[in-house]
Structure formats: structure tokens, C-alpha cells
Amino acid sequence: MTASQSAASHRPDIHDSRRADGNDSRGAVAREAVARHRGAEHDDDRPPPARFAYDPWTWKEIAHLLANLPVSLFGFTYVMTVIIGGAALSVTVIGLPLLGLGLAGARLIGRFERGRARMLLGLRIDEPSTLPVRRAGGLLSRMWLALKDPVAWRTVLYEAIRLPWGILTFTVTLTSMFVLWPVLPYLARGLTNADRAMVRALLSPSDELERRIAELESDRGVVVDTAAADLRRIERDLHDGAQARLVNLAMGLGLAKEKLLEDPDAASAMVEEAHGEVKLALQELRDLARGIHPAVLTDRGLDAALSSVASRCTVPVKVTADLDSRPAAAIEGIAYFTVSELLQNISKHSGARSASVDVWRTEDRLLIQVRDDGEGGARLDGGTGMRGLAERLNAVDGLFVVDSPVGGPTTVTAELPWRERERG
């Protein structure tokens, strides 16, 4: 199950004394799970501790430090000739196009430097998002897009300040291999840590806007795919269920109309059968509507809707919703379908004897925790259901964390952004 990033925040009202203990404990569990989830990706960046022995990590770091001089010499020369030259010629016709091409080349140099850091320093650095050249329009728009590219300018700054550092690291490392070789692993670790800091600061996609653009581009594809899958499911359910039943109903009523004068008893029996078909068709349409957006969620909110879906679970479920107001309809719907899918998994796969659903608000986040005492072993890569939930939550800037050791219990915490519901 998932967890939240921040602690529960309480308003100074008369309900604080009753809710403090429960919210604090839930918030602590949520913070711990999110910290593990978000911090795991940084743990892989950390090299093993430096030691006297010359292990592969040490040799990679030494190779990186020795390569700093030729690489930084090339980068500095490129910046001084192409970038500075293009800037100096910007008063002429060829200056700005030359500068734009130079910045495009700087992007390639930055990609090479990130690859070198990944290979020799073990840094996990994502590539920055590419420039949307195809959507830029004409030639002037594309040139302006290249001229204001923050990734290229940060690479230019990186290469401009690297030459003195490259000379220093090359000289110190080469000298230490003959004079200070017993402490060279520690020296190499200190120098490469400075390299890691420079790469992270100037070459990683650390710009918040750039990071959000990359996330939104990925999330947009998830939202489109999810919407298309939902439409196909609704179309299939209508075609195979209610539509086929209504077609049979129309045929049955037609036959009953023909037999009304000839055989009234048979016609009455056929009308009675058609009446039963109408009831079944209505039930299928209600179930389909509940799968799209249940009426109880619209009319009475998340608490009542979750209690309704919990009543259909095959194990006893305790629902606790601590919400003073309702979130936006889209967030409310995602929360409902997340809990519904998790309770279906508990019914089908968990072997649990009891389960619980907790929903509460923490500052600007909506948190959901679903627990069961089943067999455990649930994983995000174990099937399309859990993975689909994680993708749906990620698409709205949410978080989905599963804690399910073999043997149980299982705790899933979902975190969604809180957006106020529109009035009217």
C-alpha cells in the first residue's frame, strides 16, 4: 500500500484531541513509506566506501580524473571558439545562426559528459527533455528556441569553468599514482565527489520547469491511453451486455405482439419474460454506470461511496474517512476507483479475514491507506491492475506505494493532490 510525504496537519479546533493520535500514526507510516520510495533512487548513486585496495570503483574514478584534462580542454576550446565567436559575430547576419548551432552542439557535449559520469562515476542522471523543434514553427522560431535553451547554456557554463579543474585533477591524480598511491583511493573519492556535485548542479535536468514538462509529457500519454481503454471497456460492455439484451427484448415483444390475438396465453408469458429481461437490462446499465461514475459518489461524497463499495467486498472492511470538505470531482473519482480496485484485489487474491480503508487530508494532499491481513506478496510488477493504478496516480502528480511482505500484512498508500471542489 502507499504512503504520504508529509505529516498530518491539524486545525486548532475541538476535533484535534480526538484525531491527533490516529492522524499522527498514519502520517508517520506514510512519511516512512514515501521516504523509502523516493530515496531509493538516490541510494544507487552512492559508490562503495573508499578503501586502500584498488577495486574497480577506484580505477573508474582514477580514469575519470585523468580524462578530465583532454575532455575539459576540448570543451573549453569549443566554448571559446564557437560560442564566444558566435556571440561576438551576433551583430552580423551569420552570428546568431552560428551561436544557435553552437548551442545545439553544446547539448551534444553535455550528453557525452553525462554518459561519462554514468559510466565512470555511477551517477544516475536522466537526459533533459529534447527541444520541441517540430512545434516551433519557422526558422526564426527554431533559432530563438535554440538561443534560449537553458540546458545548452548550463553546459556552456560547465565547460567554461572545467579547464582549471581538469588541469588540477589530472596533475594531482598522475602525481599521486607515483608518490601518494596508498591514499590515492581516498583522494580520488574526494575529487570525484566534487565532479559529481558539478555534474548534478549543471548537467542534470534539475530545472523545475524542465522536469515538470518531461513529467507532463509522460503523464499525458498515460491519461490518453487510460481514457481510450475506458471507452473501449464501456463500448464492449454495452455491446455484449445491455445492447444484446435489449435486442432480444425487442424481438420477444415483436413475437408477443404477433401472438396477442392468436394465443393470448403464450403472448402473456412472452411479455412476462420480456419484463424480466427489462429488469436485467436495467441492472446491467446500473452496474455499468457505477463503473463509470457511481451516483452515490456524486450525491453523497467519498465516505458514502467507499462504504458502498466496501459492502460488496467478500471480507469485512472498516472504512474511516476524515474529510471536512470534498475534493475536486476528478480527484474524488480517482480515489474511489483506486479503493475499489484494491478491495477487488483483496476479495480475489489476498485470502484476508479483514481489511480497513483510511482516508484523510494532509495539507494539500489526499491520502488513502488500504490494509488487509492476507497472505501478502503483492507487487507493482505482479500484474496490470497494480501497475495501472500506479500509472493513473502518477498522471495526476500522485504517488502509489505497496508494502506487502510475503505472509502479510499488506498496506497500500495512495497519495493524491488536493484540489478544492468548484462551487455550483
Side-chain angles (χ1 to χ4, degrees):
M1 302 301 178
T2 67
S4 131
Q5 178 183 7
S6 53
S9 64
H10 307 294
R11 295 178 310 283
D13 56 24
I14 60 175
H15 300 287
D16 283 349
S17 59
R18 289 186 299 150
R19 298 186 320 208
D21 294 340
N23 280 358
D24 285 345
S25 60
R26 290 179 302 186
V29 174
R31 287 194 302 273
E32 182 181 354
V34 173
R36 290 198 307 266
H37 178 76
R38 291 178 175 171
E41 60 187 22
H42 299 294
D43 292 341
D44 294 339
D45 286 352
R46 299 176 184 173
R51 54 199 183 98
F52 282 107
Y54 282 71
D55 54 12
W57 266 104
T58 302
W59 285 115
K60 286 183 178 180
E61 290 175 340
I62 292 173
H64 184 275
L65 294 172
L66 292 176
N68 273 348
L69 178 59
V71 172
S72 61
L73 184 61
F74 172 81
F76 185 82
T77 304
Y78 181 88
V79 168
M80 290 297 107
T81 55
V82 180
I83 305 299
I84 302 301
L89 294 173
S90 59
V91 294
T92 67
V93 177
I94 64 171
L96 290 180
L98 179 62
L99 182 58
L101 290 175
L103 290 172
R107 261 188 171 255
L108 298 178
I109 295 176
R111 180 181 300 177
F112 170 78
E113 291 280 17
R114 283 187 292 272
R116 187 166 72 104
R118 277 192 293 266
M119 182 175 63
L120 298 179
L121 301 183
L123 284 181
R124 296 181 54 169
I125 306 177
D126 295 329
E127 289 294 328
S129 56
T130 57
L131 290 176
V133 177
R134 295 183 179 180
R135 301 196 299 269
L139 182 61
L140 291 178
S141 298
R142 295 183 181 184
M143 184 178 67
W144 175 245
L145 189 65
L147 290 175
K148 65 178 185 178
D149 180 15
V151 175
W153 283 112
R154 290 204 306 269
T155 304
V156 168
L157 177 60
Y158 178 84
E159 296 298 338
I161 65 175
R162 288 283 293 179
L163 183 58
W165 177 253
I167 295 173
L168 174 66
T169 56
F170 178 86
T171 305
V172 171
T173 304
L174 187 62
T175 304
S176 300
M177 291 182 68
F178 300 98
V179 179
L180 300 174
W181 63 268
V183 297
L184 180 57
Y186 302 95
L187 190 60
R189 177 59 50 83
L191 294 174
T192 52
N193 281 342
D195 267 321
R196 291 183 177 94
M198 281 189 279
V199 171
R200 285 194 182 101
L202 295 176
L203 297 184
S204 63
S206 57
D207 182 76
E208 183 66 18
L209 178 60
E210 180 186 329
R211 183 185 67 83
R212 290 297 296 154
I213 289 174
E215 288 181 356
L216 290 173
E217 287 177 348
S218 174
D219 293 345
R220 180 180 60 186
V222 173
V223 171
V224 171
D225 292 342
T226 301
D230 288 341
L231 288 175
R232 288 194 299 269
R233 176 182 60 81
I234 295 169
E235 181 183 9
R236 183 178 63 250
D237 291 344
L238 283 173
H239 182 271
D240 297 341
Q243 180 180 343
R245 195 172 296 280
L246 290 174
V247 169
N248 291 333
L249 173 62
M251 294 175 61
L253 289 175
L255 293 175
K257 181 180 178 181
E258 293 177 358
K259 291 182 176 292
L260 185 61
L261 298 178
E262 300 176 1
D263 190 353
D265 293 336
S268 177
M270 296 178 71
V271 170
E272 184 68 25
E273 183 180 352
H275 184 257
E277 290 289 327
V278 170
K279 291 182 177 179
L280 292 175
L282 288 174
Q283 183 60 42
E284 288 185 356
L285 288 174
R286 289 192 192 99
D287 294 339
L288 181 60
R290 185 184 296 116
I292 299 173
H293 198 83
V296 65
L297 180 61
T298 303
D299 298 337
R300 298 174 56 193
L302 198 56
D303 190 359
L306 294 183
S307 298
S308 175
V309 74
S311 66
R312 299 194 296 271
C313 187
T314 58
V315 301
V317 180
K318 179 183 178 182
V319 178
T320 303
D322 186 10
L323 299 175
D324 293 331
S325 60
R326 296 177 62 177
I331 299 300
E332 199 173 55
I334 293 174
Y336 171 82
F337 287 112
T338 298
V339 174
S340 178
E341 179 74 20
L342 292 174
L343 291 182
Q344 287 183 31
N345 288 342
I346 290 174
S347 297
K348 295 177 182 178
H349 310 299
S350 71
R353 294 184 299 275
S354 64
S356 65
V357 177
D358 292 301
V359 182
W360 73 99
R361 178 183 177 180
T362 298
E363 296 178 355
D364 60 345
R365 309 294 283 181
L366 175 66
L367 290 129
I368 305 165
Q369 240 176 33
V370 181
R371 298 184 182 92
D372 69 76
D373 58 359
E375 300 171 355
R379 304 189 315 275
L380 284 178
D381 57 354
T384 58
M386 287 286 195
R387 186 168 61 249
L389 286 177
E391 291 175 351
R392 177 170 291 192
L393 265 68
N394 288 336
V396 294
D397 199 21
L399 188 65
F400 189 80
V401 180
V402 177
D403 181 14
S404 182
V406 176
T410 295
T411 302
V412 175
T413 306
E415 178 182 323
L416 289 165
W418 180 277
R419 293 202 293 269
E420 295 295 339
R421 197 176 190 86
E422 295 182 1
R423 298 296 181 185

